[in-house]
Amino acid sequence: MKDPDISVVICVYTEDRWEDILAAVASVRAQSLPARETLLVVDHNETLLDRLGREYKEAAEDGSVRVLANAGPRGLSAGRNTGIAASHGEIIAFLDDDAVAERDWLKHFASGYEDPRVMAVGGRTMPVWASGRRPAWFPEEFDWVVGCTYKGLPPGRVRVRNVLGGNASFRRTAFEAAGGFATGIGRDGDKRPLGGEETELCIRLTRARPDAVLLIDDRAVIHHRVPAPREHFAYFRTRTYAEGLSKALVARSVGSDRGLESERRYTTRVLPAGVVRGLRDALLARPGGAGRAGAIVAGVFSAAGGYVLGSVRARRGGAGFSIVEIPDGTGEAA
């Protein structure tokens, strides 16, 4: 079977990540299965747009790297939608701007689409800690806080409810069936670290296409940089609270049965086991055991508080989001 054409979309917003952006693009250009194109979507930052346009001027001429301005409102979801609309591949893959992909990343994505029912394939995201090592108190069960694969997800190539947006791919027909990423849920630059937009999209997709299969293949690996401020408990608390707010919006869109289906298993099975392991390590005088157990409990309460407040706001009409069809067009290089 012929490998599908894959377009890679990398959404960027700040010059502070300049070296990270260059490394992300380089990792895509070094893939064993070449991408059809890499699209850099710049989120309302003219200086960065111009600088990247100059950096990839030669690559733009042969179409291998294209630099685009976000055509929608500020934020990650609209940036992704811009990239989808401008891309040409049968498959659209997404890579975080502060991550690098292993050489066979796209090869493993492509193999998942041999089954025509597969509409999305995600991968495994490994943290690269700024300090050089995981903080002793930071539980692996909460690695999603720093955008990485967390303890509790099954290994191998498995069917899942949703993929994780920083390391994911979709068939183009998935967006034709379900529309694009919802704006008003996900990230907006350096504002509160919301999330959940890929969860909402995936649930919406399986509603539109009940036969759709969504996979995670843990061989499709990327390495995601975790900056020093995100190694601290203050960020952990902020991010878990924001996730609760996000989940309230997701539940509003798709209903709490589907919107919280995986979260119920996570909170009733994965997290209690993590607390037990932490307390056991504490009793055995292993570093960080008590801290990990305490962080899990604190994370649950923080997320629950965000969810309650988000639900109240949603009922009062104080929080909103919109789902848009992917516009036609191919975008323009900077």
Side-chain angles (χ1 to χ4, degrees), residues 134-194:
R134 171 187 296 275
W137 64 269
F138 202 113
E140 293 182 50
E141 292 83 359
F142 276 82
D143 276 5
W144 56 263
V145 164
V146 291
C148 295
T149 301
Y150 57 89
K151 189 179 186 67
L153 286 176
R157 181 192 282 178
V158 293
R159 190 166 181 172
V160 292
R161 179 195 66 179
N162 63 274
V163 296
L164 303 178
N167 180 11
S169 63
F170 294 83
R171 285 192 195 273
R172 179 173 301 280
T173 51
F175 301 109
E176 294 171 0
F181 288 92
T183 59
I185 295 181
R187 297 255 180 166
D188 179 358
D190 290 320
K191 293 183 179 180
R192 177 173 285 161
L194 300 172

XYZ file of all heavy atoms in Angstrom, residues 134-194:
473
model
N 13.323 14.553 36.208
C 11.968 14.764 36.726
C 12.036 15.226 38.174
O 12.759 14.625 38.996
C 11.182 13.443 36.643
C 9.813 13.477 37.347
C 9.177 12.094 37.359
N 8.905 11.677 35.994
C 7.801 12.003 35.321
N 6.866 12.730 35.907
N 7.628 11.590 34.092
N 11.280 16.276 38.550
C 11.203 16.644 39.973
C 10.690 15.460 40.794
O 9.751 14.764 40.382
C 10.199 17.795 39.973
C 10.275 18.363 38.592
C 10.524 17.196 37.690
N 11.285 15.229 41.931
C 10.960 14.043 42.723
C 9.488 13.989 43.105
O 8.911 12.910 43.241
C 11.833 14.003 43.974
N 8.851 15.147 43.267
C 7.464 15.198 43.717
C 6.466 15.049 42.566
O 5.263 14.877 42.813
C 7.181 16.525 44.419
C 7.326 17.707 43.498
C 8.448 18.445 43.273
C 6.317 18.256 42.639
N 8.214 19.420 42.341
C 6.914 19.327 41.935
C 4.970 17.956 42.415
C 6.205 20.097 41.012
C 4.264 18.723 41.496
C 4.881 19.781 40.805
N 6.918 15.112 41.316
C 6.011 15.216 40.169
C 5.543 13.827 39.737
O 6.325 13.030 39.227
C 6.731 15.903 39.001
C 5.806 16.515 37.993
C 5.733 17.887 37.827
C 4.978 15.719 37.199
C 4.882 18.466 36.898
C 4.118 16.279 36.270
C 4.066 17.647 36.117
N 4.248 13.501 39.904
C 3.755 12.158 39.586
C 3.626 11.937 38.082
O 3.144 12.803 37.353
C 2.377 12.116 40.260
C 1.953 13.546 40.356
C 3.201 14.361 40.492
N 4.046 10.769 37.609
C 3.926 10.433 36.192
C 2.468 10.420 35.740
O 2.182 10.642 34.560
C 4.560 9.074 35.921
C 6.065 9.040 36.093
C 6.635 7.677 35.774
O 6.309 7.125 34.704
O 7.398 7.148 36.610
N 1.569 10.169 36.676
C 0.142 10.169 36.334
C -0.345 11.533 35.878
O -1.406 11.647 35.263
C -0.683 9.711 37.544
C -0.502 8.255 37.935
C 0.725 8.013 38.803
O 1.480 8.983 39.096
O 0.940 6.846 39.195
N 0.411 12.582 36.165
C 0.035 13.943 35.788
C 0.969 14.534 34.733
O 1.034 15.760 34.583
C 0.002 14.846 37.024
C -1.294 14.789 37.779
C -1.543 13.775 38.685
C -2.282 15.741 37.572
C -2.739 13.722 39.383
C -3.477 15.696 38.259
C -3.716 14.684 39.166
N 1.631 13.703 33.959
C 2.510 14.245 32.917
C 1.731 15.010 31.845
O 2.317 15.803 31.102
C 3.336 13.130 32.269
C 4.589 12.810 33.055
O 4.774 13.376 34.156
O 5.394 11.978 32.588
N 0.421 14.827 31.779
C -0.380 15.627 30.849
C -0.315 17.114 31.219
O -0.538 17.981 30.365
C -1.830 15.151 30.809
C -2.553 15.119 32.127
C -2.725 14.042 32.938
C -3.212 16.222 32.786
N -3.441 14.397 34.071
C -3.755 15.726 33.995
C -3.399 17.563 32.472
C -4.472 16.528 34.889
C -4.102 18.372 33.354
C -4.629 17.857 34.547
N 0.011 17.410 32.467
C 0.152 18.804 32.895
C 1.214 19.525 32.065
O 1.087 20.717 31.765
C 0.497 18.859 34.401
C 1.020 20.226 34.808
C -0.733 18.495 35.237
N 2.257 18.797 31.665
C 3.333 19.394 30.864
C 3.264 18.916 29.408
O 4.267 18.926 28.686
C 4.719 19.096 31.484
C 4.872 19.853 32.794
C 4.932 17.602 31.693
N 2.076 18.494 28.983
C 1.853 18.151 27.588
C 2.414 16.818 27.154
O 2.683 16.623 25.959
N 2.585 15.880 28.087
C 3.229 14.609 27.769
C 2.317 13.422 28.087
O 1.305 13.546 28.773
C 4.539 14.484 28.534
S 5.764 15.726 28.034
N 2.705 12.267 27.560
C 1.965 11.036 27.800
C 2.060 10.676 29.280
O 3.150 10.679 29.859
C 2.536 9.901 26.939
O 2.447 10.282 25.558
C 1.759 8.610 27.153
N 0.929 10.355 29.886
C 0.898 10.125 31.328
C 0.718 8.648 31.665
O 0.236 7.850 30.849
C -0.234 10.941 31.964
C -1.610 10.663 31.398
C -2.423 9.666 31.927
C -2.094 11.403 30.318
C -3.685 9.410 31.418
C -3.350 11.153 29.798
C -4.140 10.158 30.339
O -5.383 9.896 29.818
N 1.153 8.299 32.859
C 1.018 6.926 33.346
C -0.460 6.591 33.487
O -1.222 7.340 34.091
C 1.717 6.777 34.696
C 1.827 5.343 35.197
C 2.559 5.314 36.516
C 2.823 3.892 37.002
N 3.777 3.172 36.144
N -0.870 5.484 32.919
C -2.271 5.091 32.928
C -2.804 4.847 31.538
O -3.803 4.144 31.360
N -2.142 5.413 30.535
C -2.506 5.111 29.152
C -1.962 3.733 28.790
O -0.841 3.388 29.155
C -1.934 6.151 28.193
C -2.611 7.525 28.187
C -1.857 8.468 27.244
C -4.066 7.409 27.755
N -2.729 2.921 28.070
C -2.247 1.580 27.717
C -1.105 1.651 26.715
O -1.046 2.560 25.887
C -3.487 0.914 27.102
C -4.348 2.046 26.634
C -4.099 3.177 27.588
N -0.170 0.689 26.767
C 0.972 0.687 25.843
C 0.610 0.088 24.488
O -0.448 -0.520 24.318
C 1.989 -0.186 26.575
C 1.137 -1.152 27.348
C -0.083 -0.381 27.777
N 1.523 0.266 23.530
C 1.345 -0.330 22.213
C 0.507 0.532 21.293
O 0.405 1.742 21.462
N -0.087 -0.110 20.288
C -1.026 0.582 19.409
C -2.421 0.184 19.866
O -2.823 -0.970 19.727
C -0.826 0.192 17.945
C -1.799 0.928 17.012
C -1.808 0.337 15.618
N -0.653 0.776 14.842
C -0.417 0.372 13.600
N -1.225 -0.498 13.021
N 0.638 0.816 12.948
N -3.151 1.143 20.422
C -4.434 0.841 21.054
C -5.492 1.852 20.628
O -5.183 2.992 20.257
C -4.313 0.850 22.598
C -3.435 -0.290 23.077
C -3.769 2.187 23.093
N -6.718 1.435 20.710
C -7.844 2.316 20.396
C -8.129 3.205 21.602
O -8.095 2.751 22.755
C -9.070 1.472 20.052
C -10.225 2.255 19.476
C -11.253 1.324 18.864
N -12.367 2.080 18.290
C -13.324 1.522 17.548
N -13.290 0.218 17.288
N -14.289 2.277 17.062
N -8.411 4.481 21.353
C -8.626 5.446 22.424
C -9.824 6.334 22.091
O -10.292 6.378 20.951
C -7.379 6.339 22.648
C -6.225 5.532 23.206
C -6.976 7.046 21.353
N -10.307 7.046 23.110
C -11.384 8.018 22.896
C -10.878 9.230 22.156
O -11.541 9.763 21.266
C -11.980 8.454 24.239
C -13.103 9.492 24.110
C -13.405 10.167 25.438
N -12.284 10.996 25.901
C -12.291 11.705 27.011
N -13.366 11.683 27.794
N -11.246 12.427 27.366
N -9.675 9.695 22.548
C -9.128 10.898 21.912
C -7.613 10.831 21.879
O -6.973 10.192 22.731
C -9.562 12.165 22.642
C -9.048 12.234 24.070
O -9.675 11.695 24.991
N -7.925 12.910 24.274
N -7.022 11.478 20.895
C -5.575 11.640 20.823
C -5.200 12.947 21.524
O -6.062 13.762 21.845
C -5.104 11.651 19.356
C -5.380 10.312 18.702
C -5.772 12.782 18.563
N -3.905 13.134 21.777
C -3.415 14.339 22.438
C -2.823 15.265 21.375
O -1.975 14.865 20.583
C -2.368 13.977 23.497
C -2.855 12.991 24.576
C -1.725 12.675 25.551
C -4.065 13.535 25.310
N -3.258 16.528 21.366
C -3.078 17.403 20.227
C -1.657 17.738 19.833
O -1.396 18.035 18.665
N -0.696 17.736 20.758
C 0.668 18.113 20.417
C 1.438 17.053 19.668
O 2.543 17.302 19.185
N 0.854 15.864 19.562
C 1.499 14.735 18.880
C 0.386 13.887 18.296
O 0.032 12.851 18.838
C 2.354 13.935 19.864
C 3.047 12.748 19.221
O 3.060 12.607 18.002
N 3.624 11.876 20.039
N -0.180 14.339 17.190
C -1.375 13.693 16.667
C -1.476 13.876 15.165
O -0.821 14.753 14.582
C -2.628 14.261 17.341
N -2.314 13.060 14.549
C -2.579 13.187 13.115
C -4.028 12.798 12.854
O -4.620 12.024 13.605
C -1.636 12.283 12.315
O -1.850 10.908 12.628
N -4.582 13.364 11.780
C -5.967 13.101 11.389
C -6.048 12.958 9.875
O -5.308 13.612 9.140
C -6.892 14.267 11.794
C -7.041 14.475 13.266
C -6.098 15.198 13.981
C -8.145 13.964 13.941
C -6.252 15.407 15.345
C -8.301 14.168 15.301
C -7.352 14.885 16.006
N -6.982 12.133 9.418
C -7.324 12.159 8.003
C -7.988 13.499 7.685
O -8.722 14.052 8.514
C -8.306 11.040 7.653
C -7.734 9.653 7.584
C -8.742 8.697 6.948
N -8.367 7.315 7.178
C -7.535 6.631 6.398
N -7.013 7.200 5.329
N -7.247 5.381 6.681
N -7.774 13.972 6.479
C -8.456 15.192 6.060
C -9.971 15.003 6.132
O -10.715 15.927 6.488
C -8.032 15.567 4.643
C -8.721 16.815 4.111
C -8.140 17.245 2.784
N -6.719 17.525 2.909
C -6.240 18.666 3.391
N -7.060 19.617 3.811
N -4.946 18.866 3.482
N -10.441 13.808 5.805
C -11.879 13.559 5.810
C -12.480 13.646 7.202
O -13.686 13.823 7.351
C -12.193 12.178 5.201
O -11.383 11.173 5.843
C -11.892 12.164 3.703
N -11.635 13.532 8.250
C -12.140 13.693 9.615
C -12.668 15.104 9.819
O -13.722 15.313 10.443
C -11.050 13.380 10.631
N -11.955 16.091 9.285
C -12.381 17.482 9.431
C -13.565 17.798 8.519
O -14.394 18.638 8.849
C -11.209 18.415 9.151
C -10.037 18.185 10.054
C -8.870 17.626 9.574
C -10.109 18.505 11.405
C -7.790 17.400 10.406
C -9.044 18.277 12.257
C -7.874 17.722 11.756
N -13.634 17.111 7.397
C -14.793 17.288 6.529
C -16.052 16.781 7.224
O -17.145 17.346 7.060
C -14.575 16.554 5.212
C -13.442 17.131 4.373
C -13.090 16.262 3.175
O -13.743 15.201 2.998
O -12.175 16.628 2.415
N -15.901 15.725 8.024
C -17.055 15.143 8.712
C -17.447 15.909 9.963
O -18.635 16.066 10.259
C -16.753 13.683 9.075
N -16.449 16.401 10.708
C -16.732 16.946 12.039
C -16.469 18.434 12.172
O -16.838 19.036 13.183
C -15.912 16.196 13.089
N -15.843 19.060 11.180
C -15.436 20.449 11.334
C -14.072 20.535 11.987
O -13.408 19.526 12.225
N -13.642 21.748 12.291
C -12.305 21.964 12.828
C -12.279 21.976 14.347
O -13.233 21.584 15.027
N -11.152 22.427 14.878
C -10.991 22.555 16.324
C -11.865 23.701 16.827
O -11.976 24.750 16.186
C -9.533 22.840 16.676
C -8.619 21.662 16.487
C -7.955 21.463 15.292
C -8.431 20.752 17.518
C -7.106 20.383 15.110
C -7.592 19.657 17.351
C -6.925 19.472 16.135
N -12.481 23.502 17.984
C -13.345 24.525 18.564
C -12.500 25.646 19.159
O -11.567 25.397 19.922
C -14.241 23.913 19.637
N -12.822 26.875 18.800
C -12.145 28.011 19.407
C -12.841 28.359 20.722
O -14.037 28.143 20.883
C -12.163 29.228 18.468
O -13.519 29.584 18.180
C -11.445 28.919 17.169
N -12.057 28.879 21.682
C -12.606 29.220 22.985
C -12.365 28.158 24.037
O -12.739 28.330 25.196
N -11.724 27.023 23.639
C -11.426 25.973 24.605
C -9.934 25.901 24.871
O -9.490 25.901 26.010
C -11.940 24.596 24.114
C -13.463 24.592 24.028
C -11.474 23.482 25.055
C -14.045 23.268 23.588
N -9.117 25.860 23.817
C -7.706 25.575 23.970
C -6.845 26.782 24.319
O -7.320 27.816 24.778
N -5.555 26.638 24.069
C -4.552 27.632 24.468
C -4.667 28.929 23.675
O -5.077 28.936 22.529
C -3.154 27.068 24.260
C -2.850 25.861 25.119
C -1.932 26.213 26.243
N -1.649 25.051 27.076
C -0.685 25.012 27.966
N 0.085 26.058 28.148
N -0.487 23.944 28.704
N -4.249 30.002 24.345
C -4.161 31.308 23.708
C -2.874 31.961 24.194
O -2.868 32.724 25.161
C -5.381 32.159 24.059
C -5.334 33.549 23.430
O -4.336 33.851 22.749
O -6.276 34.330 23.631
N -1.760 31.602 23.543
C -0.471 32.167 23.914
C -0.124 31.881 25.360
O -0.160 30.752 25.814
N 0.214 32.938 26.102
C 0.653 32.781 27.488
C -0.467 32.963 28.499
O -0.224 33.096 29.695
C 1.765 33.781 27.796
C 3.052 33.432 27.067
O 3.361 32.233 27.001
O 3.716 34.355 26.568
N -1.715 33.004 28.018
C -2.816 33.125 28.961
C -3.007 31.820 29.716
O -2.251 30.861 29.555
C -4.095 33.524 28.213
C -4.032 34.943 27.620
C -5.352 35.310 26.967
C -5.292 36.726 26.406
N -6.569 37.110 25.764
N -4.046 31.736 30.541
C -4.285 30.550 31.364
C -4.182 29.285 30.516
O -4.775 29.213 29.438
C -5.662 30.640 32.030
C -6.018 29.403 32.855
C -7.306 29.626 33.624
N -7.085 30.496 34.762
C -8.056 31.161 35.389
N -9.301 31.063 34.954
N -7.778 31.925 36.419
N -3.443 28.266 30.983
C -3.154 27.082 30.164
C -4.340 26.127 30.035
O -4.372 25.040 30.610
C -1.984 26.428 30.907
C -2.185 26.815 32.336
C -2.744 28.215 32.288
N -5.321 26.537 29.251
C -6.479 25.698 29.007
C -6.106 24.570 28.052
O -5.039 24.552 27.456
C -7.628 26.535 28.429
C -8.130 27.679 29.318
C -9.112 28.541 28.541
C -8.782 27.135 30.584
